């Protein structure tokens, strides 16, 4: 805990430098603005609200639960043309097609997942699984991700995520496919299933757990309060989850996100996303090396206004963190599971 060392990340086949003593250094750098506490429940100018008009002129329905619609500014489109042939191996291009969707979790803009009911979170999980199953028929990769908070690039204060389906396996997917395949071949057990069993036994990086799931600050975490959400059972894709596992997932997600908000008593920013076995043509292949999991990457380090910057050494050499995963897990684990906004009432 007091001496710098490097830790290996078997999921990404890279290393992270752990320098726990650096968190003690004085900070005179940039301070972030805390997120606003007075978000309007409904705003006609917020394009994600029920009844609001979006940029393309379409009017949202008066939805009361989840609401899914095509992204008005998609990064991927299904009919993009083929790029021209390369005249040199250093100048290669490949086709990139797909669809991008936006999914609103709830009609109210002043709610986030940790403040939603278990039934409302369960509805989100069901919608995620349905989208992966639907888009996965045509596309090999379906990426669900949520950018929460302006600090993580969220442009609309409304509970929502995005779903991008692509005609190719993105870099992170290809990397995790390779490392998990190698681990199963060498050790005879899916990597993240074995890892979950080890963390459940060791407990030093455990944040929350229940009968079906556990959340840990991974041994190789890069971001200060990064977590990994893992099922205890071998599950390849979201749509493979049993009914009871979806209920327990809603519960453990809310418990984790309440702890995140309670850490600095602020609506905690993060980027999160689900990784599961590829789809499309891979549905006919053996993907037993895959284990479903979700990554949470929050940027805050010392307080609601001091973030971790991934610059300099991190960009030019390798990732570096300023407190140990064990310290981060202990701090998160010790936090109450009643949201600070509800305690004050």
């Amino acid at each position: 805990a007091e001496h710098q060392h490097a830790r290996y990340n078997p999921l990404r086949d890279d290393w992270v430098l752990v320098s726990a003593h650096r968190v003690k250094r004085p900070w005179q750098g940039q301070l972030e603005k805390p997120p606003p506490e007075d978000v309007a429940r409904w705003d006609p100018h917020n394009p994600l609200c029920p009844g609001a008009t979006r940029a393309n002129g379409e009017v949202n329905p008066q939805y009361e639960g989840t609401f899914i619609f095509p992204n008005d500014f998609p990064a991927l489109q299904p009919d993009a043309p083929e790029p021209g042939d390369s005249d040199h191996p250093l100048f290669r291009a490949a086709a990139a097609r797909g669809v991008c969707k936006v999914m609103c979790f709830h009609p109210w803009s002043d709610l986030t997942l940790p403040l939603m009911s278990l039934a409302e979170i369960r509805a989100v999980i069901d919608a995620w699984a349905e989208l992966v199953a639907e888009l996965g028929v045509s596309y090999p990769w379906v990426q669900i991700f949520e950018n929460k908070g302006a600090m993580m690039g969220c442009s609309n204060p409304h509970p929502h995520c995005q779903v991008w389906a692509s005609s190719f396996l993105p870099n992170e997917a290809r990397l995790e496919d390779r490392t998990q395949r190698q681990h199963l071949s060498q050790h005879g057990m899916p990597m993240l299933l074995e890892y979950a069993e080890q963390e459940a036994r060791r407990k030093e990086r455990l944040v929350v757990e229940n009968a079906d799931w556990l959340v840990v600050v991974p041994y190789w975490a890069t971001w200060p309060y990064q977590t990994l959400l893992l099922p205890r059972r071998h599950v390849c894709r979201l749509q493979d989850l049993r009914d009871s596992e979806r209920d327990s997932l809603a519960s453990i997600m809310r418990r984790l996100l309440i702890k995140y908000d309670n850490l600095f008593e602020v609506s905690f920013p993060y980027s999160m996303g689900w990784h599961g076995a590829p789809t499309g043509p891979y549905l006919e292949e053996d993907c037993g090396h895959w284990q479903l999991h979700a990554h949470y990457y929050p940027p805050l380090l010392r307080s609601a206004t001091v973030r971790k910057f991934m610059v300099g050494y991190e960009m030019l050499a390798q990732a570096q963190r300023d407190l140990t995963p064990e310290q981060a897990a202990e701090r998160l684990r010790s936090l109450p599971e009643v949201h600070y906004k509800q305690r004050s009432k």
Side-chain angles (χ1 to χ4, degrees):
E2 296 298 325
H3 301 284
Q4 68 268 16
H5 60 281
R7 296 192 184 191
Y8 179 65
N9 181 347
L11 194 57
R12 300 198 74 258
D13 189 24
D14 63 10
W15 292 80
V16 58
L17 176 62
V18 182
S19 310
H21 56 283
R22 277 173 53 84
V23 79
K24 300 175 183 177
R25 73 191 192 281
W27 181 257
Q28 296 180 348
Q30 178 173 313
L31 298 179
E32 308 293 334
K33 289 183 178 180
E37 294 284 348
D38 57 348
V39 175
R41 178 158 292 182
W42 184 83
D43 181 353
H45 302 294
N46 186 331
L48 300 183
C49 283
T53 302
R54 304 202 308 273
N56 62 358
E58 292 191 18
V59 178
N60 295 334
Q62 294 292 340
Y63 65 92
E64 297 181 351
T66 59
F67 170 50
I68 301 166
F69 62 93
N71 194 314
D72 297 328
F73 302 96
L76 293 164
Q77 295 177 324
D79 54 357
E82 291 278 347
D85 293 334
S86 172
D87 61 356
H88 192 281
L90 294 179
F91 300 92
R92 296 167 58 191
R97 300 185 180 95
V99 296
C100 299
K101 295 181 179 291
V102 176
M103 176 178 149
C104 296
F105 298 154
H106 196 281
W108 295 356
S109 294
D110 58 344
L111 281 189
T112 55
L113 281 169
L115 293 170
M116 288 166 54
S117 71
L118 289 177
E120 290 166 339
I121 299 173
R122 168 62 195 266
V124 170
I125 293 166
D126 288 339
W128 282 341
E130 290 170 10
L131 274 174
V132 174
E134 173 193 335
L135 297 173
V137 171
S138 305
Y139 293 99
W141 189 255
V142 182
Q143 182 61 65
I144 296 168
F145 64 96
E146 179 194 3
N147 294 326
K148 178 170 179 273
M151 197 182 300
M152 298 308 291
C154 181
S155 57
N156 291 295
H158 192 93
H160 72 286
C161 73
Q162 297 189 55
V163 183
W164 294 11
S166 61
S167 61
F168 55 91
L169 288 188
N171 293 342
E172 293 295 312
R174 286 192 292 110
L175 182 55
E176 289 194 3
D177 185 70
R178 175 175 64 82
T179 57
Q180 290 180 96
R181 190 184 298 274
Q182 289 175 344
H183 186 92
L184 180 63
S185 175
Q186 295 171 4
H187 302 281
M189 188 174 186
M191 177 199 296
L192 293 181
L193 183 61
E194 181 177 2
Y195 179 67
E197 291 182 358
Q198 286 288 323
E199 290 287 31
R201 180 173 60 83
R202 296 169 186 257
K203 296 193 181 302
E204 58 188 328
R205 285 169 295 274
L206 193 65
V207 178
V208 287
E209 63 177 330
N210 61 27
D212 300 314
W213 301 86
L214 68 156
V215 176
V216 300
V217 177
Y219 177 79
W220 53 78
T222 298
W223 293 92
Y225 293 96
Q226 175 181 335
T227 55
L228 185 63
L229 172 57
L230 294 163
R232 295 182 186 271
R233 180 176 70 89
H234 187 201
V235 182
C236 287
R237 301 177 179 93
L238 267 170
Q239 60 266 43
D240 299 332
L241 292 175
R242 299 166 179 159
D243 194 65
S244 60
E245 290 169 332
R246 297 185 186 198
D247 285 338
S248 57
L249 174 56
S251 173
I252 204 164
M253 281 176 56
R254 189 170 70 169
R255 291 170 64 195
L256 168 66
L257 298 179
I258 286 174
K259 285 180 178 290
Y260 269 162
D261 281 10
N262 285 344
L263 179 60
F264 299 129
E265 295 201 345
V266 69
S267 185
F268 206 68
Y270 59 74
S271 282
M272 72 80 64
W274 284 100
H275 283 172
T279 50
Y282 296 91
L283 292 170
E284 305 301 321
E285 298 184 8
D286 182 3
C287 290
H289 54 291
W290 270 90
Q291 174 73 329
L292 177 70
H293 58 283
H295 297 282
Y296 285 83
Y297 298 129
L300 293 178
L301 174 60
R302 301 173 181 226
S303 68
T305 60
V306 178
R307 68 182 300 175
K308 167 67 176 178
F309 287 92
M310 290 292 182
V311 296
Y313 188 86
E314 290 90 348
M315 295 177 69
L316 297 165
Q318 72 179 35
Q320 179 269 333
R321 61 178 291 117
D322 301 288
L323 76 166
T324 67
E326 293 76 25
Q327 291 168 335
E330 182 180 12
R331 187 165 184 190
L332 288 172
R333 189 168 55 242
S334 66
L335 292 166
E337 295 188 9
V338 176
H339 198 278
Y340 73 92
K341 288 186 176 180
Q342 294 171 331
R343 289 202 314 270
S344 64
K345 293 178 181 179

